[in-house]
Amino acid sequence: VVDDEPTVRLLVAEILSDYGYSTIEAADADAALPVLQSNTRIDVLVTDVGLRGALNGPALAAAARVVRPDLNVLFVTGYADAGGLDPLPPRTRLLLKPFEPDVLALTVHELTSE
């Protein structure tokens, strides 16, 4: 779970944990990329679209897919215009904030079941 807002990151991780998922949290792409480039098992990258720093969410996903081409990605954003994500690449979903916990869990489940 990558989000530069600590409360959002914690909430998303907590929701996923409540639904039985294990999570790894990162505040930005700089912290997330080494994990994504490691051998750590990652079923879904959940990332905010508008991350602060050198890489935003779509750039982070693209960098991660160099090493993990089949990586599932769930972008979350508070903006209806998700910054050029239309059409979404394969194995990718977009979830607009605010969202219900069950919608988040269902979307992650759908991505991991493809």
Side-chain angles (χ1 to χ4, degrees):
V1 177
V2 186
D3 199 303
D4 50 17
E5 293 294 332
T7 54
V8 174
R9 185 175 64 249
L10 179 64
L11 178 63
V12 170
E14 186 175 304
I15 290 168
L16 292 174
S17 178
D18 288 348
Y19 281 87
Y21 295 100
S22 298
T23 60
I24 301 168
E25 298 176 45
D28 56 27
D30 289 339
L33 200 52
V35 177
L36 290 162
Q37 293 172 333
S38 74
N39 291 329
T40 303
R41 179 180 170 185
I42 299 175
D43 296 316
V44 179
L45 167 62
V46 180
T47 182
D48 190 16
V49 171
L51 295 174
R52 294 183 203 118
L55 297 177
N56 63 13
L60 172 62
R65 282 184 167 155
V66 169
V67 177
R68 299 172 184 260
D70 295 327
L71 180 66
N72 296 305
V73 177
L74 174 57
F75 291 115
V76 292
T77 184
Y79 301 100
D81 175 15
L85 288 175
D86 187 30
L88 289 172
R91 305 180 75 91
T92 305
R93 298 282 190 287
L94 176 67
L95 193 57
L96 295 177
K97 298 175 196 173
F99 48 80
E100 295 294 321
D102 59 335
V103 173
L104 172 64
L106 178 62
T107 305
V108 168
H109 175 74
E110 289 172 349
L111 277 167
T112 59
S113 299
E114 289 185 346

